[in-house]
Amino acid sequence: ARPAPRRYPAAMTTIHVDGDACPVREEVYRVAFRLGVKVIVVGNGARPVRLPDHPDLRLQIVPDGADAADDWIAEHITRGDVCVTQDIPLAARCLEKGARALSPRGHVWTAENIGGALAGRAVNQARREAGAITGGPAPKSGADRSRFLSALDTMVRAAQRDGAAPPPRAWVPFE
């Protein structure tokens, strides 16, 4: 007879929200309540954030500073967690820690696409510094909201599986 598959304890998935300017907080709460995961909204308090009264929601206020919220998230996020952010460098830092990252428009950041996004961001920043008018993002649409909700649901479920799986083996080179 085959042995029973090995079960690993389910790790608690947490959604970390880069919160001061996040346009999809209400959508995050909806998905989190349905799937039973915790949410930490991280910001410096520059913009007031009111959370619904729920034991799985927490507001983490960080000191003022250009990347204080990003630094807090990158320090606390772990494998099996999800980060919702518009910040491409923060998404890259989360991916490096084995977490998952998603933009408020529903764009899933992966190891395969984050490098190109970082490069494009650097090019656009150089153009802005040179005086080029690059414009901003298009207004958020209903399709963006729908795509975000679907992607967040899928991503949280996958992150829950990540957290419950055994940790990946460290790569050891042959000598």
Side-chain angles (χ1 to χ4, degrees), residues 37-59:
V37 298
K38 295 184 181 300
V39 175
I40 302 173
V41 178
V42 184
N44 64 12
R47 295 183 183 158
V49 175
R50 291 191 43 100
L51 299 181
D53 186 25
H54 193 279
D56 289 338
L57 297 181
R58 185 174 111 207
L59 179 61

Side-chain angles (χ1 to χ4, degrees), residues 18 66-67 70 84-92 103-104 109 114 121:
D18 188 3
D67 292 323
D70 298 357
V84 176
T85 183
Q86 299 180 82
D87 189 304
I88 297 168
L90 174 58
S103 82
W109 297 113
I114 198 72
R121 180 182 179 277

